[in-house]
Amino acid sequence: MPAYLSDALRGGVIVFGTPAILVWVLSLILDKFAALSATPDTRAKVTVGIPYLIAVMLVAAYIIAIATEDTDGVPLWIEAFGPPLFPLPGAALIYLHYRAEYRRRWVENADDLPDGVTLANDDWKVGLATLALFALFGVFRVIFRMIWTI
């Protein structure tokens, strides 16, 4: 394999793979308590959407850090479109996986469940996850402000 293809492959794995792994790990955590009584589509959106937003913020922070360290800077299109686009392919695949999984396990009526099987309906935890996300956003905002003033 030519060296430029090897470098391009390695760069693609880093640029798209790292945010995808982050989205996947955070989705595994949210899968346990977020939007448990929502429809499959909504639950998949919440389970993958929040980690996607966190990945976008981290990619943006990384690009800002690179742009301030490097004397040549980062191309404008990467600064503008990189943060939302780099985690998108991985997040889309993870969303499709969770959507298919939730649709497969969806129960329309709780009366159709076998004896001894109950539904997990703890939607108050979605509020807790949302509150934690807002707190995390506030922390990132403070960190960004500190980086910009340095």
Side-chain angles (χ1 to χ4, degrees):
M1 177 182 300
Y4 65 89
L5 284 179
S6 176
D7 291 343
L9 182 62
R10 191 176 313 124
V13 167
I14 291 171
V15 167
F16 294 107
T18 304
I21 291 171
L22 176 67
V23 170
W24 175 64
V25 168
L26 293 175
S27 294
L28 285 175
I29 296 168
L30 282 178
D31 177 48
K32 304 300 181 209
F33 65 88
L36 295 177
S37 64
T39 61
D41 294 335
T42 304
R43 186 171 178 199
K45 287 176 192 174
V46 170
T47 302
V48 178
I50 293 172
Y52 170 74
L53 291 176
I54 292 171
V56 166
M57 288 189 287
L58 290 176
V59 168
Y62 183 70
I63 288 175
I64 289 170
I66 289 174
T68 56
E69 288 178 5
D70 192 8
T71 56
D72 295 336
V74 176
L76 182 61
W77 71 271
I78 291 180
E79 283 188 34
F81 301 113
L85 290 180
F86 293 158
L88 189 60
L93 291 174
I94 295 167
Y95 167 76
L96 291 174
H97 165 72
Y98 276 115
R99 183 175 175 267
E101 183 68 22
Y102 295 151
R103 288 176 66 93
R104 186 179 62 79
R105 295 186 299 172
W106 178 251
V107 175
E108 195 65 44
N109 188 0
D111 297 333
D112 297 337
L113 291 173
D115 292 334
V117 177
T118 60
L119 292 176
N121 293 327
D122 292 329
D123 263 350
W124 63 271
K125 293 179 183 177
V126 174
L128 184 63
T130 305
L131 182 63
L133 179 66
F134 283 128
L136 186 65
F137 179 77
V139 168
F140 279 125
R141 186 172 178 192
V142 169
I143 291 171
F144 280 43
R145 296 272 183 194
M146 290 184 342
I147 289 173
W148 281 104
T149 57
I150 292 177

